[in-house]
Amino acid sequence: MKKSYVGALGAVCALLLATAGAMPAAAAQPSDSKAPAKAAPAQPAVKAVNFAGTVALSNCSGSVIRTPSSQPNDPALVLSNGHCLESGFPAAGEVITDQPSSRSFSLLNAAGSKVATLRATKVSYATMTDTDISIYQLNTTYAKIQSSYGISALTLNDAHPTQGSAIKVVSGYWKRTYSCNVDGFVYRLKEGDWTWKDSVRYTSSCNTIGGTSGSPVIDTATGKVVAVNNTGNEDGEQCTENNPCEVDENGNVTVRQGINYAEETYIIVPCIGAGSKIDLTRAGCTLPKP
């Protein structure tokens, strides 16, 4: 789980190294062709993606999220990773529900400036089994956040993400975004004691760093959250902590050093009922149960 914050100096150095080599692109040369220019193919509409609704945790990133059926006066929810819990990593097979918590979150506006401190009342749900998520319930509602700060929650997409789609990983911790595409899906992603199902693999330009754990992964065509950023292979090792490996249906193992991953969030939507209650018995809910 390399995307939880493990050291400010190392992460900042990684950020400087990642950006130091950037060079301006060469200027385009005029064409000698006399043929009329062809119209560019139509591109899908792109939603503006910014920091509004994201949060910074003490060690990770996150976001205020809602489902398509959430109501304004429902208690607001914050989504991050299971491995970002203040109580430490859940064990393989462990599922946490309704655990009291007073954790605080820095709410960001579109520009990435902190506008408020939000506070949890409980961890509604958390696990690192099959997926890597934590969902906190806050002591305020979506309507109060909107009226007080002009910020709307990010909406979870209720459909499986699409291969090739353009995405942005938005880190509230670092106030930085990463742009890439969904490269594909991993049957099983194994890291140390934990195994995750149907994970999202990014193309290489989403070179996320420590502190980006829990960042929402936003589809730029819809503006909706399709996954939550959680890990990447740092050293080329096989299936060790900070070095997840891909395992296919036949048990074949693939290691992709430098490639990063996220866990899909559409599976969360059927599990959230009225009043933001996590109900693992609802129809269509496949999240692991305690």
Side-chain angles (χ1 to χ4, degrees):
M1 286 63 62
K2 79 170 185 130
K3 298 303 171 283
S4 59
Y5 176 71
V6 293
L9 180 59
V12 170
C13 288
L15 177 58
L16 292 173
L17 288 171
T19 56
M23 296 294 291
Q29 298 300 312
S31 171
D32 293 329
S33 173
K34 303 292 192 235
K38 294 182 179 179
Q43 299 295 318
V46 175
K47 299 285 185 180
V49 175
N50 53 46
F51 295 99
T54 64
V55 300
L57 287 67
S58 58
N59 60 343
C60 287
S61 300
S63 57
V64 181
I65 53 97
R66 64 183 298 276
T67 72
S69 61
S70 293
Q71 298 301 305
N73 290 320
D74 289 342
L77 300 175
V78 163
L79 172 68
S80 190
N81 285 147
H83 78 260
C84 293
L85 283 176
E86 64 269 42
S87 55
F89 293 4
E94 182 180 6
V95 175
I96 297 165
T97 59
D98 296 324
Q99 176 178 286
S101 174
S102 58
R103 194 167 197 182
S104 61
F105 311 90
S106 297
L107 177 67
L108 306 184
N109 63 14
S113 299
K114 178 181 175 180
V115 295
T117 297
L118 304 177
R119 192 165 297 278
T121 58
K122 66 179 180 179
V123 178
S124 293
Y125 183 89
T127 192
M128 288 176 64
T129 299
D130 295 352
T131 186
D132 184 8
I133 60 171
S134 58
I135 302 172
Y136 290 85
Q137 182 172 304
L138 303 183
N139 64 357
T140 190
T141 65
Y142 297 114
K144 288 181 180 177
I145 293 173
Q146 174 69 49
S147 62
S148 298
Y149 313 112
I151 293 175
S152 300
L154 303 179
T155 300
L156 297 180
N157 200 334
D158 57 5
H160 191 284
T162 304
Q163 186 172 10
S165 57
I167 53 175
K168 283 195 175 185
V169 181
V170 186
S171 171
Y173 187 94
W174 286 115
K175 302 176 179 61
R176 180 181 175 188
T177 64
Y178 302 80
S179 299
C180 61
N181 295 81
V182 175
D183 187 51
F185 304 101
V186 182
Y187 177 70
R188 297 289 184 268
L189 188 66
K190 181 172 176 56
E191 179 173 342
D193 295 333
W194 299 275
T195 301
W196 304 307
K197 296 180 178 179
D198 198 25
S199 301
V200 173
R201 180 177 61 243
Y202 306 143
T203 53
S204 60
S205 55
C206 277
N207 53 342
T208 47
I209 61 175
T212 62
S213 279
S215 298
V217 180
I218 300 175
D219 186 310
T220 61
T222 65
K224 295 181 179 180
V225 177
V226 295
V228 57
N229 180 68
N230 79 311
T231 195
N233 188 293
E234 295 184 346
D235 306 310
E237 295 179 5
Q238 181 173 300
C239 312
T240 62
E241 286 194 29
N242 304 319
N243 293 283
C245 62
E246 301 182 12
V247 184
D248 69 14
E249 294 90 336
N250 299 315
N252 299 310
V253 175
T254 302
V255 172
R256 302 178 192 268
Q257 185 176 3
I259 293 299
N260 298 296
Y261 302 89
E263 303 309 313
E264 296 165 351
T265 50
Y266 79 99
I267 61 172
I268 298 172
V269 175
C271 306
I272 300 179
S276 300
K277 179 177 174 55
I278 306 295
D279 182 357
L280 302 178
T281 67
R282 295 186 85 229
C285 179
T286 59
L287 286 176
K289 298 175 175 57

